[in-house]
Amino acid sequence: AKMIDIKNIRKNFIFGVILLLLLRQLSIAPSQFTTDNGNAGYTYPSQNGHHPSPPPTSSSSSSLTSSSLTSSSTTIATSASTTSSTASSTSAATKFVVWMLPFPPKDKPQIYENETLLCGYSNACKDHQHYLNINLRELSEETFFQNYVRDHIYHKVRHMDEFPLHIQAIAMAALLHKKKAGSCVRMLGDTEEYCDYQLFNEYDPYDESNNFNTTKYPLRSVVQLIEEKRFEMSNGHNSSSSIVEDITSSSDKFAFCGQDTRDFDFMQTGQFNSGEDIQSFAGALWLPFVNEIKFKSFANFTGYFIANSYMGDESFETDEQEFENMNKVQMLSIYSRKNSTEGMLPYIKQYSETMEPFGSRSSVTNQILRDMKIRSYFSACLTLTLDLEGGTLGSKYRSFNKHVFNEILKPDCAQTTAESLPERNKIVVVDVQDRSVIPESIMNSPDTIHLTANIPGHYPNHTTRVGRHSYSYKLLSIYARQAKVIITSRIHVGLPATGLGVPVIFVHGQNDRLPGGKQKVGRVEGLLDIFHEVKSTDATNFNWTFGNLTETIPLSDGVHKADRYRASFWHRLKKTHYYADTARLFGIIPFQRIGRNKVRPGIQDTFHFVLALSDLTWQTQRAIEHVFFHHPNSKIIVHSNDIYQSDLEVFVESGYDLSVQEYDAKALRSHNAKSVGDVVEGDDVLDVGVDDDIIFLVLQNYGGVYVSKSTLVAKEISKDVEEGMVVDTNGRPAMAIFNKDS
């Protein structure tokens, strides 16, 4: 790079803390770009780059949130350009037609001119020209159903393929709760309207019997269909289809990796690790609902499948169907050893060549695959994406390891008191390999909760799907609602807790022993640096540096890496429309970054790119990624007149602060007397392009750091760096730093 003298800046100006790498010198191909080995990876860019189509002047859908529902019906209608003119002009009662199922109805039911169609899934309403998408998380806030929506992962396991029917009723109830009197809702395809929230008063989707009838389900047409189906079955007309399949035009199915039930003898040993179910919840997070739980196997399943799992020495059982169904499978967040990898080599080789690279939960698995010439990357663990409010537990049991035996209280239960809704002020200790490491004052404190990840043999209904998953849900609820810090030696305690924003102290065992076995087999390799770690310095001493934990414990510096792993998961999962729509429906996206409040002082916090539509290649995306890698809490402003916010939405959806702003070149130039020539002096002359002066005018208006599309930031940039500029070998600005109004 060639240094340019700047007026009032020393001629020997040096960017001492910056290493600039021009992309033409980059040896890593985009298909090899991952989040491991220190690379700045948020996305998995395609070979050809990507530019989504710009937003049309009239789109097929828009979003509806609770904020828009507090306005008049006219505002609701005009918030989306697609809503009919009749709806936007009428002052009559608002009429909503709701469809929350992920598939279209069997026929194309009619929507009348004075009605607004609301959909949870774009695929389900693709036959209708005008509709709004719902953010059900926002819509259901401050209703009885809020916790059901926030903790949908648990209720998907409880209700399986009946879950979307509950979401249908909840959306309709939430609309009536939010809207003024006179509003009415109906289910798409149903003629019956509901205009009074009181009609949903007795509806209880939390009912522990998990029986559809006992929930007092409010939609009479659905209840009638179920009763007719049961009557037919009682008369010998057996049917393998669900009610969802009966009323929709799709037979798509969804599964996650896990275990449906376990035999009594095995569970009585108390050795079943709830980590298996925690991983199952991470898969359920992204699914519209669940038809089946697959036990580490693809065999005889042709639906959509998220295959995040601990394989050990087991292999996926694959047949011809699985090869044909490959486009519906996400092989990511998988730990396997050499034997299991070799056992499924034909499948994963074809998968990685035709679909996606293999996502390895362990860096050891990643290396095994690379040695076999399999396209792979270190994905970390999908449990980092877990997102829930947590259930409120009773307080009957408080003794050692007994907290999870407390019942889950309903949101309006009389027992839901201030006492049962504690602040995050508890120290939670879960399966620490060497408990002597922890000071006695912590272990014996009344503010310490002791838990175990292994499900006890005397836990109620522990051999059933719902009973077993309730144990794991209660663990997560304690982490989410009560824990100010968690001490553990289990990764599937630490990982979901980190995803929930709870600081984790991970205690290593002596001789590399962990509760699940020896660490040296590679189960946890690459995952631990997102935690605070306590390691033994010799046979008897550990580096415990946290005192008695009376003060607030900050998150570890590694949470920024966890945020990048989460962003990488999203970039991959959003390619499947079912998963993308589920994420938006339940408010998973945009992510709340774990490290959003862990701000490092003294480094640059505002960056600028000046781009045109033609600049949006994978190289440009990589340049943006590298800024966020080293400055995760910075703000990036992309100045452009033909790029839309949606073109770079993956960064915003991942929780990063990026905005696209138009600029008026003529106004900028007339407002600012200086030009490029005014800031350059000496014998060196800048070879400016036609719009290069915009760079300096932008910096004059905003201050901060300009980065070109061909520049990678490879270190943190201090705020102490003096103003100046670096140019590339063509004489074009590669990077510039100026204060506002300088």
Side-chain angles (χ1 to χ4, degrees), residues 676-687:
V676 176
D678 294 323
V679 296
V680 178
E681 68 177 7
D683 297 330
D684 292 316
V685 179
L686 186 67
D687 179 17

Side-chain angles (χ1 to χ4, degrees), residues 302-355:
T302 58
Y304 287 83
F305 182 38
I306 296 179
N308 62 309
S309 64
Y310 170 91
M311 296 300 299
D313 289 321
E314 298 178 77
S315 296
F316 288 122
E317 299 174 13
T318 56
D319 56 21
E320 187 176 341
Q321 275 189 326
E322 271 67 52
F323 279 84
E324 294 174 355
N325 192 51
M326 207 172 266
N327 65 319
K328 296 181 180 180
V329 175
Q330 281 289 350
M331 297 194 70
L332 77 172
S333 185
I334 297 174
Y335 166 69
S336 64
R337 294 197 280 265
K338 188 173 181 180
N339 290 343
S340 60
T341 304
E342 290 175 342
M344 53 187 177
L345 192 58
Y347 183 90
I348 61 176
K349 184 175 178 61
Q350 182 172 326
Y351 181 90
S352 62
E353 289 175 353
T354 61
M355 298 297 160

Side-chain angles (χ1 to χ4, degrees), residues 6 59 91 155 185 187 235 295 311 325 434 439 458 486 683:
I6 308 297
S59 59
S91 58
H155 300 295
V185 297
M187 181 177 177
N235 285 281
F295 178 56
M311 296 300 299
N325 192 51
D434 189 344
H458 57 289
I486 290 177
D683 297 330

